[in-house]
Amino acid sequence: MTDKTALTPTTHTAPPAKFSHGVRKGNILQVAGQVGFLPAEEGRPPTPAGPTLREQTLQTLANVKAILEEGGSGWDDAMMIRVYLTDTGHFAEMNEIYNQYFEEQGLTAPPAARTTVYVGLPAGLLVEIDVLAVLG
């Protein structure tokens, strides 16, 4: 049986409850829902990258990427990306940001994806993203 490894990059704060930012078992890596918090700094509470969807989305994608890399993975291993928005009016802008980001990343084959509206994020947060990756 393959060991399960919890992943918390140095850029991330320790989770506030008994969960991990990501978990790898064998060639499967699940990234837990990430939001657009800036990299952790000791003594500073988690801080959003900014008030806009663009700022938060780009930081969220950077946070997801850090966990993928911590687990020995990358965007090309992503099989499923789930995006949760807090406002239905953000769908078009999210698609634009998403497409531009992955074009810049040189993604060879886009993963399956879904976007839904979720209103349970903490105040001020506009987007959450989780990813399922299968390595090599």
Side-chain angles (χ1 to χ4, degrees), residues 19-95:
F19 64 85
S20 301
H21 288 289
V23 174
R24 179 174 176 181
K25 183 169 182 167
N27 69 337
I28 297 175
L29 192 159
Q30 176 66 56
V31 176
Q34 298 296 301
V35 295
F37 286 143
L38 293 168
E41 287 184 24
E42 193 168 328
R44 187 186 76 190
T47 305
T52 69
L53 181 65
R54 176 169 293 282
E55 291 167 310
Q56 289 189 27
T57 299
L58 292 175
Q59 185 62 54
T60 300
L61 290 166
N63 292 344
V64 169
K65 185 178 181 182
I67 296 165
L68 289 170
E69 290 174 349
E70 183 82 6
S73 182
W75 287 117
D76 279 324
D77 293 320
M79 298 298 291
M80 179 67 173
I81 297 176
R82 287 176 290 267
V83 177
Y84 304 91
L85 298 173
T86 60
D87 185 336
T88 57
H90 288 160
F91 273 90
E93 183 180 2
M94 167 53 77
N95 286 339

